[in-house]
Amino acid sequence: MNNQPGSNQIQLITYIDRLSGGDISELHQLLQQELSGLFDGVHLLPFYTPIDGEDAGFDPTDHTAVDSRLGNWQDIASLASDYPVMADMIVNHVSAQSAQFQDVLAKGEASPYWPLFLTRDKVFGQAPEPAELAAIYRPRPTSCFTELTLADGRSLPFWTTFTANQIDIDVQSEPGQAYLDAILQRFTENGVKLIRLDAAGYAIKKAGTSCFMLPETFEFIAGLSSKAKALGMQCLVEIHGYHQTQIDIAKRCDWVYDFALPPLVLHTLFSRDAKALKHWLDIAPRNCITVLDTHDGIGIVDAADHQGQPGLLTDPELDALVEQIHHNSGGSSKLATGNAANNVDLYQVNCSFYDALAQHDEHYLLARAIQLFCPGISQIYYGGLLAAENDVELLKRTQVGRDINRPYYTAEKVRQALQKPVVKALCALIKLRRSLQAFDGDFSQQLSDGQYQLNWQHQGHSASLRIRLADLSAELVWQHSGEVQQQCPLSSLLAD
């Protein structure tokens, strides 16, 4: 199985201010100094105006403007000259506080932006069938429509897939296409090389369907990816859903997330059974970005069954997985998940990955080693890099479940975290992965007699991760072409 060219890379995914404690230039400095030698690129989570909206930047009032508290587009371009930058393109919605939507509220159909936004009536007509509304796939338990009052006193049901402050746009309308084109243009003018298409699976709405990942959605993603490619950019499609959907999407775009990996790695470590993980890596797309944690929660739906089709894990296995996470975190993840938190997601558990593994350094390092040995580009979340614990105090202040895994660091706190043995070991592991040419080649895996092995080979270079499942001990074995084979227990990195 050939890995994608150039995929022997490690990317950082981070909020600018929550890692640097400051602005874009301070993050740039951090990457060049304390984090030097670790990353080939950086995914900057939303840096648009404002970064502190209802959904941590995913509800921009102006998607083409950098929040002035972080800097400006010149700062982005400067960072992009040293590190390939990925930026979020929020294709499904815009803030209710945006100038465009405020104009709609003031002028109704007379606003030039009226066609930009979706109301329920635009899709279903004046008298929608209850069965059609019930068929809509919902990522959250609340209604996907919000009644909002116009200046003339009329109340209309606007489409709000995520929150009442995130108004869905009509991406098929002329203003919708112009809106997205303006974002693409701003990106390409400032050196952005990769685009993450946020919430793209919900972008197309059609009566009589689930309004999620329709054939028309695939066409929309392909069309947007083509526009980006023509401007010198590639697209990563962000979709949480059934694993076969990811496989299908991967055939039509540059990159997809491997969101099934986090629950499968946890299941492997909890159950000491790698069969489900091995099966997934046998069939998983190779043009993927691998993650264990992100700014969102640990995905569950990505490993679950769907409409009678078997998932990567069974329902009892997923139930046991979720309960083990809650147990390992001392119950703190339960405070941030499901009905206990605002903006709840039906398909995620909100918890830092370090806490999901009970802050067990060896198990955490093994989980990262598995990720780094999987095919694709490895993306390390800033909280994961620093082995962040659940930020219960931040959760209490904001009452936003996902904030439990979105901590704020000052520069001094970053320096302190980098001294933790598990963080030092992870940094050493990242540097080793980046140094090995074997990862430019072919991937294989074996599972037998209680040992699970992940292997890479390329022109005489080799690298293997050998895991003994009974006690979760592991060793790294590698060889540069023409040189003597080297090996070390994974745990020895913690002692260095």
Side-chain angles (χ1 to χ4, degrees):
M1 293 179 243
N2 288 324
N3 201 14
Q4 291 291 310
S7 63
N8 186 15
Q9 297 179 23
I10 316 285
Q11 294 178 350
L12 173 69
I13 175 173
T14 187
Y15 294 98
I16 293 168
D17 58 324
R18 297 190 192 215
L19 175 59
S20 71
D23 59 17
I24 300 164
S25 62
E26 287 170 292
L27 176 64
H28 196 170
Q29 185 177 44
L30 183 66
L31 285 164
Q32 292 178 316
Q33 295 180 4
E34 287 89 345
L35 303 183
S36 175
L38 293 176
F39 299 107
D40 303 282
V42 57
H43 173 188
L44 301 177
L45 289 161
F47 48 84
Y48 320 112
T49 305
I51 56 170
D52 52 0
E54 187 174 305
D55 194 19
F58 283 94
D59 48 351
T61 58
D62 188 347
H63 203 319
T64 62
V66 175
D67 191 304
S68 61
R69 291 168 290 183
L70 298 179
N72 53 42
W73 281 110
Q74 287 73 30
D75 295 317
I76 296 291
S78 176
L79 177 60
S81 68
D82 289 330
Y83 299 89
V85 165
M86 179 187 295
D88 283 282
M89 186 169 183
I90 303 160
V91 301
N92 182 71
H93 50 261
V94 67
S95 172
Q97 312 309 313
S98 64
Q100 297 98 319
F101 190 68
Q102 288 297 309
D103 195 69
V104 165
L105 291 180
K107 301 175 184 175
E109 291 87 340
S111 169
Y113 302 110
W114 175 258
L116 179 60
F117 298 100
L118 280 173
T119 62
R120 185 185 65 198
D121 300 347
K122 288 182 181 180
V123 179
F124 294 100
Q126 294 295 324
E129 293 290 334
E132 288 188 328
L133 298 181
I136 299 171
Y137 175 72
R138 292 290 298 121
R140 304 188 180 184
T142 53
S143 170
C144 56
F145 303 107
T146 301
E147 293 280 344
L148 295 172
T149 304
L150 276 60
D152 62 10
R154 285 182 297 154
S155 180
L156 295 178
F158 283 89
W159 204 304
T160 52
T161 295
F162 293 97
T163 73
N165 194 50
Q166 293 165 298
I167 312 298
D168 289 22
I169 64 176
D170 184 353
V171 298
Q172 295 176 304
S173 69
E174 192 171 313
Q177 292 176 32
Y179 175 84
L180 297 178
D181 287 345
I183 299 169
L184 287 175
Q185 191 61 41
R186 189 57 58 91
F187 283 173
T188 194
E189 289 170 354
N190 293 282
V192 172
K193 294 299 182 186
L194 291 158
I195 303 169
R196 191 184 86 124
L197 302 181
D198 177 68
Y202 302 93
I204 303 297
K205 281 80 168 177
K206 184 178 178 181
T209 73
S210 67
C211 300
F212 178 72
M213 289 314 304
L214 311 178
E216 293 87 348
T217 312
F218 284 100
E219 294 172 10
F220 165 71
I221 291 171
L224 194 54
S225 296
S226 294
K227 284 185 177 181
K229 191 167 291 186
L231 293 170
M233 296 177 284
Q234 292 187 328
C235 289
L236 164 65
V237 179
E238 187 261 345
I239 301 290
H240 278 283
Y242 188 55
H243 68 273
Q244 185 59 49
T245 302
Q246 296 285 25
I247 294 172
D248 293 339
I249 295 169
K251 299 171 185 175
R252 298 169 168 86
C253 65
D254 299 309
W255 299 97
V256 292
Y257 273 118
D258 188 350
F259 281 136
L261 187 63
L264 289 172
V265 168
L266 290 173
H267 171 77
T268 299
L269 301 188
F270 292 163
S271 67
R272 313 293 169 97
D273 185 346
K275 288 193 291 291
L277 175 58
K278 180 181 182 299
H279 169 64
W280 171 237
L281 294 181
D282 279 337
I283 64 173
R286 294 303 185 241
N287 56 327
C288 64
I289 304 288
T290 69
V291 294
L292 290 185
D293 45 3
T294 70
H295 56 293
D296 289 337
I298 298 168
I300 299 302
V301 69
D302 308 280
D305 59 17
H306 177 68
Q307 296 181 347
Q309 298 299 310
L312 299 168
L313 296 173
T314 65
D315 284 349
E317 287 171 332
L318 285 171
D319 290 342
L321 174 71
V322 172
E323 288 307 312
Q324 189 65 51
I325 293 172
H326 291 330
H327 172 76
N328 286 355
S329 71
S332 60
S333 59
K334 218 166 193 175
L335 301 174
T337 300
N339 293 328
N342 290 336
N343 300 342
V344 294
D345 298 293
L346 300 177
Y347 51 79
Q348 297 174 342
V349 176
N350 292 318
C351 185
S352 79
F353 212 81
Y354 189 53
D355 270 17
L357 286 167
Q359 301 179 17
H360 191 297
D361 286 358
E362 288 190 19
H363 292 175
Y364 184 70
L365 190 60
L366 176 55
R368 287 295 173 189
I370 293 172
Q371 178 196 5
L372 292 169
F373 269 77
C374 286
I377 291 178
S378 301
Q379 205 176 68
I380 310 292
Y381 182 55
Y382 79 103
L385 173 69
L386 301 177
E389 301 172 10
N390 280 342
D391 194 336
V392 177
E393 290 305 313
L394 180 60
L395 169 66
K396 288 178 179 177
R397 288 201 305 272
T398 67
Q399 292 297 301
V400 175
R402 288 175 292 177
D403 271 352
I404 201 169
N405 189 36
R406 297 175 174 179
Y408 285 90
Y409 284 89
T410 61
E412 179 57 29
K413 283 186 176 180
V414 170
R415 286 190 284 270
Q416 291 173 3
L418 287 170
Q419 296 307 308
K420 294 192 292 188
V422 66
V423 176
K424 285 185 173 181
L426 175 54
C427 291
L429 186 61
I430 290 171
K431 289 178 178 179
L432 177 64
R433 153 74 193 260
R434 293 185 70 221
S435 74
L436 297 177
Q437 295 181 44
F439 288 94
D440 289 323
D442 297 325
F443 170 76
S444 64
Q445 54 178 341
Q446 290 89 41
L447 176 61
S448 62
D449 299 324
Q451 179 157 306
Y452 182 42
Q453 187 165 315
L454 305 173
N455 311 298
W456 288 90
Q457 289 189 337
H458 178 63
Q459 297 179 355
H461 302 270
S462 64
S464 296
L465 173 65
R466 300 172 181 174
I467 306 167
R468 198 173 100 173
L469 293 167
D471 61 1
L472 296 182
S473 60
E475 68 172 350
L476 299 164
V477 181
W478 68 94
Q479 183 173 16
H480 296 286
S481 181
E483 297 184 7
V484 176
Q485 186 182 83
Q486 300 182 63
Q487 63 188 81
C488 71
L490 184 63
S491 60
S492 69
L493 298 180
L494 288 163
D496 291 343

